[in-house]
Amino acid sequence: GGVMHLLSTVDPMPRAPEELAQLAQARGSPVVSWSGDHESTTCVVGWAGQRPRLVEVLPLFQQLGLELADHRPGGGRDPVGDVFTLPAIEAPDVTEVLSLLGDAFLAAWEREVDRDDFAVLVGAARLRARQVQLLRAVFHYLRQAHLGASRAYVRDILVANPEFVRHWVELFEARFDPSAPQFPEDRLGKYVEAARTRDEYRVLQWYAAAGAAVTRTSYFRTGAGGHPSNTIVLKLDPSRLPFPSDPAITVETFVHHPDVEGLHV
């Protein structure tokens, strides 16, 4: 999976909630198993401690764009897990999609990423939860720069342009990953020019420019356990942005965390 310390597996058949709960209790965090066929997708969760209320769990599926078809508690008279049944995923790369969804579900549950409808990009654009968090951070920065479009509106435009989104992430990671072998050709301009509406053009153009305006980032920094920090810091050169900014400001530093954000100029 994308997040090393979270335990999410893709299995041929649904696993027993009791088995997952035993693993979860040993690890101190939930364990999930995803499986799917042409009829449905199953997500089995084993909880480390007390089983949470459904109202805490169900929004995570909705934010990933998954509608719950059925649910039953798992693990006998005193349930320690849950079995969620979701619609079938019609895709040739269903195993990859289930793996991404599993990691994203746990990342949201552990509050390593924001809990919102941007999460639908995990399945729509085949992105890891961390990559979606980067797109979110840029949206929050652009909103402070008066992009003037709602989160749902921007998300819909990004979902409708998965090739742009994947290439945007690819370019960003190639620029800042210390281990990236070579830099791919920048094709973002072609995707921007192909926009079908003025709003779509503006959102894609702002994203492309904001990505190019970043000069440094903490995105690849890892913490003590080798996993990424919940905070993403972006240092930007505002003169490279396609909207007017105060010429006296030469550097902006934007900090995004699931609980807090701020802009330092």
Side-chain angles (χ1 to χ4, degrees), residues 163-171 185-188 191:
E163 290 90 359
F164 170 90
V165 169
R166 283 182 66 84
H167 186 50
W168 188 95
V169 170
E170 178 192 28
L171 289 174
E185 181 204 353
D186 184 342
R187 304 187 309 280
L188 286 180
Y191 293 122

Side-chain angles (χ1 to χ4, degrees), residues 103-255:
D103 283 343
F105 175 86
L106 284 178
W109 176 258
E110 300 284 357
R111 293 203 178 274
E112 302 199 336
V113 296
D114 296 27
R115 296 180 178 182
D116 67 25
D117 46 15
F118 255 64
V120 78
L121 285 160
V122 168
R126 307 295 195 262
L127 297 178
R128 299 193 312 278
R130 175 85 174 158
Q131 294 170 324
V132 173
Q133 187 70 353
L134 175 63
L135 290 162
R136 250 189 217 107
V138 171
F139 165 72
H140 284 273
Y141 169 76
L142 290 175
R143 191 184 56 181
Q144 291 206 5
H146 309 296
L147 175 61
S150 74
R151 189 183 63 214
Y153 195 77
V154 170
R155 179 219 52 203
D156 285 347
I157 287 174
L158 295 178
V159 166
N161 290 274
E163 290 90 359
F164 170 90
V165 169
R166 283 182 66 84
H167 186 50
W168 188 95
V169 170
E170 178 192 28
L171 289 174
F172 186 95
E173 292 188 343
R175 274 181 64 210
F176 295 107
D177 184 352
S179 62
Q182 79 266 9
F183 191 69
E185 181 204 353
D186 184 342
R187 304 187 309 280
L188 286 180
K190 291 175 187 165
Y191 293 122
V192 174
E193 292 302 323
R196 292 176 290 275
T197 67
R198 206 187 71 178
D199 281 354
E200 193 172 60
Y201 176 82
R202 186 158 162 260
V203 167
L204 298 185
Q205 184 197 29
W206 280 38
Y207 258 92
V214 175
T215 57
R216 292 183 71 185
T217 179
S218 69
Y219 178 71
F220 286 100
R221 279 202 60 194
T222 53
H227 46 265
S229 159
N230 295 6
T231 305
I232 293 177
V233 182
L234 302 171
K235 193 172 178 180
L236 299 103
D237 173 358
S239 70
R240 297 191 198 173
L241 294 167
F243 41 82
S245 57
D246 183 341
I249 298 172
T250 54
V251 175
E252 291 184 334
T253 304
F254 184 70
V255 179

